[in-house]
Amino acid sequence: MSVEAMVQKMIDDLTESLVDAAKHDKGNSAAGTRVRKAMQAAKNTAQDVRKQVQADKN
């Protein structure tokens, strides 16, 4: 997977989590769990992007 595709996937996933973030702000704790899950996935994807960029550089 290209770096551009990984970044775009992360952006799309975070955009989708905005709905749950709004629900969490209104007091829905289950939505907060989904937001935390999305943030963890974004963190993992960001780490994969970093590794790929480093590998390409070397």
Side-chain angles (χ1 to χ4, degrees):
M1 181 181 266
S2 72
V3 171
E4 182 180 6
M6 289 191 288
V7 171
Q8 187 60 51
K9 181 181 180 332
M10 187 168 47
I11 291 169
D12 294 343
D13 291 345
L14 289 174
T15 301
E16 290 173 8
S17 72
L18 282 173
V19 174
D20 286 327
K23 288 179 183 179
H24 171 72
D25 287 343
K26 293 178 183 175
N28 185 332
S29 62
T33 301
R34 291 189 296 272
V35 170
R36 285 196 341 262
K37 183 178 178 183
M39 293 300 108
Q40 185 65 37
K43 176 185 166 214
N44 291 337
T45 303
Q47 187 64 38
D48 292 342
V49 169
R50 293 191 57 190
K51 288 177 185 176
Q52 184 64 42
V53 170
Q54 185 66 31
D56 292 347
K57 185 180 93 169
N58 293 334

